[in-house]
Amino acid sequence: MPRKFGISSRIAAGVLAVAVLGSLHLTAADAVTGPASRAKASYEALNKYFDAGQQGLLLEEYPNTQTNPYSYVWPYSQAAIAAENLAGVPGAGQTASEEADRRIAAYEPYWNAGTTPTGYDSYVRPPLGQGGDKFYDDNEWIGLNLVQHYKRTGDRAALARAREIFALVVHGWDTDPSHPCAGGVYWTQAPWSQDRNTVSNGPGAELGAHLYLLTRDKSYLTWAKRMYEWAQTCMLAPNGLYWDHIELAGTVEKTQWSYNQGVMLGAGVLLFKATGDGQYLRDAKSVANASLAFYGAEDRLWKQPTRFNSIYFKNLLILDSVAPDQRYKKTMQAYADRAWTEARDPATNLYHFAEGPVQLLEQAGITQIQALLSWPRSDYSLLA
């Protein structure tokens, strides 16, 4: 029987969804100016237009042109993180907290308890769907979501599930010494890819460091440092930013996505907190400086997917929690303001960052950003 997390097992999803929408008291005609109000309006639109009508699940896009009736777990996880970020806004109240619980409960249709190690499939499992291959980064995002949820609520079941996820991540480590840049966590268990990615190692290092800080189990720190050092050795480019992945043939895919920079600078901060070694913090500051310069040129930040920028900005705030720098939140605010003005449809509060249907990933990403703009710096240490 699927395990639930804390209070979420007692929530009636449909009733709560109505309560959430009713509590916001926002319409497209409202004059919404503050980041908390913008975040609530964006999340209300997410709930309204992406609701899949089953167990709290969501659509991949709106309008949905996909064959699948539900989203993959990666987009769903970003909506759940948006709800968790909203629950952490000062004064958000019980309704926002229960909505975050509801979103975590709806991870369960993706959970595959029949594999060793256990973990989340990429798509909902029978009877709702056919399941899918496990992606290590998908599971890491969920693990980080659960850590942040645990920090806010003390829900020990969420922490236990995060520990299960980390066992899966460790299982994904490349153990063949003949491979170029041997080591590193693979991106997926799918047979069609044997890439090892910055985004399967950076958030893995973050999750391991968080678990060490919460439990003081040294095995988590050992693995976090190992994942971090692999990316430092194999993915760090001469310009101070991180490439995307390396194939088994040794070919490096050199695109420099914003979320790769975010997870690595975030991992550096957490390893600094875990070890006291100032080199990790210097690394994080170096990536922050290099990325702000890089994405600040030629409108590159705006050209990055919002789903990646949300992860990048969150990790800049994690850095800001130990090494304050007004540039981080200022850049984030400018991006959110531009998205509100240029990408949002004021009739629906849906965001059109590209042609075609609105993607759940993008709606969730901008909601995450807006919610975190309402957090005080004193709470940034609660982020994961």
Side-chain angles (χ1 to χ4, degrees):
M1 181 175 181
R3 179 170 5 153
K4 302 295 184 183
F5 296 103
I7 192 172
S8 60
S9 62
R10 301 191 297 274
I11 293 172
V15 173
L16 182 56
V18 172
V20 169
L21 295 178
S23 70
L24 297 178
H25 300 297
L26 292 169
T27 70
D30 286 329
V32 182
T33 56
S37 296
R38 289 179 177 183
K40 288 178 181 179
S42 301
Y43 189 78
E44 177 183 358
L46 185 156
N47 261 347
K48 178 179 180 180
Y49 292 102
F50 291 89
D51 177 39
Q54 181 73 254
Q55 297 186 26
L57 296 173
L58 297 169
L59 302 174
E60 185 88 4
E61 59 185 19
Y62 178 81
N64 188 38
T65 65
Q66 304 296 313
T67 302
N68 289 330
Y70 310 111
S71 76
Y72 285 95
V73 75
W74 148 236
Y76 182 83
S77 71
Q78 299 311 294
I81 292 167
E84 187 63 42
N85 287 356
L86 275 165
V89 172
Q94 184 63 25
T95 300
S97 182
E98 290 176 351
E99 175 67 359
D101 291 343
R102 183 175 79 100
R103 284 275 159 247
I104 285 179
Y107 279 130
E108 289 309 301
Y110 298 93
W111 181 251
N112 189 339
T115 55
T116 304
T118 52
Y120 290 97
D121 280 4
S122 59
Y123 192 65
V124 290
R125 295 184 49 72
L128 295 177
Q130 71 276 11
D133 295 304
K134 292 184 181 67
F135 287 74
Y136 293 106
D137 61 331
D138 287 356
N139 279 269
E140 289 161 350
W141 305 131
I142 298 171
L144 292 170
N145 183 189
L146 295 173
V147 165
Q148 186 170 317
H149 183 76
Y150 170 74
K151 287 184 175 186
R152 183 177 61 83
T153 67
D155 182 353
R156 299 199 65 82
L159 179 61
R161 179 58 62 86
R163 296 178 78 162
E164 286 185 84
I165 289 171
F166 194 74
L168 172 70
V169 175
V170 170
H171 179 76
W173 185 262
D174 173 27
T175 59
D176 189 334
S178 70
H179 290 164
C181 258
V185 177
Y186 286 103
W187 179 46
T188 179
Q189 293 181 348
W192 45 263
S193 173
Q194 293 183 306
D195 299 340
R196 289 157 291 152
N197 291 48
T198 300
V199 80
S200 51
N201 287 272
E206 289 188 293
L207 181 57
H210 276 299
L211 291 174
Y212 169 73
L213 290 166
L214 291 170
T215 69
R216 295 297 164 175
D217 182 333
K218 291 185 178 179
S219 67
Y220 292 127
L221 180 59
T222 297
W223 274 109
K225 291 167 69 175
R226 189 174 295 167
M227 293 170 193
Y228 180 86
E229 291 304 327
W230 180 86
Q232 286 290 97
T233 301
C234 298
M235 292 288 103
L236 185 59
N239 68 347
L241 300 180
Y242 293 88
W243 291 319
D244 190 65
H245 67 262
I246 184 170
E247 301 169 4
L248 284 189
T251 304
V252 175
E253 209 295 299
K254 295 185 177 182
T255 304
Q256 294 183 319
W257 300 110
S258 57
Y259 72 160
N260 285 332
Q261 321 318 316
V263 295
M264 288 304 297
L265 69 87
V269 173
L270 294 167
L271 286 170
F272 166 69
K273 293 175 71 173
T275 66
D277 185 343
Q279 185 58 51
Y280 288 118
L281 185 58
R282 288 190 289 274
D283 288 347
K285 290 180 177 179
S286 176
V287 179
N289 288 332
S291 61
L292 287 172
F294 180 78
Y295 296 116
E298 301 176 14
D299 210 24
R300 290 192 184 108
L301 186 62
W302 186 251
K303 296 172 185 176
Q304 291 282 304
T306 301
R307 60 187 180 272
F308 293 173
N309 288 341
S310 61
I311 294 166
Y312 172 62
F313 286 134
K314 177 183 70 176
N315 282 282
L316 283 176
L317 297 187
I318 290 173
L319 174 57
D320 200 47
S321 71
V322 299
D325 189 322
Q326 63 180 356
R327 293 178 301 163
Y328 306 152
K329 190 170 183 178
K330 183 178 179 180
T331 303
M332 186 176 177
Q333 183 70 68
Y335 180 88
D337 288 345
R338 182 174 176 182
W340 181 261
T341 302
E342 296 185 19
R344 180 183 62 97
D345 176 0
T348 61
N349 286 324
L350 292 175
Y351 288 79
H352 297 263
F353 290 100
E355 295 295 324
V358 177
Q359 300 300 306
L360 176 59
L361 275 167
E362 304 303 283
Q363 188 75 19
I366 192 62
T367 304
Q368 289 177 38
I369 293 168
Q370 292 161 330
L372 291 185
L373 284 168
S374 298
W375 283 42
R377 177 181 279 123
S378 58
D379 287 349
Y380 292 169
S381 60
L382 299 176
L383 292 170

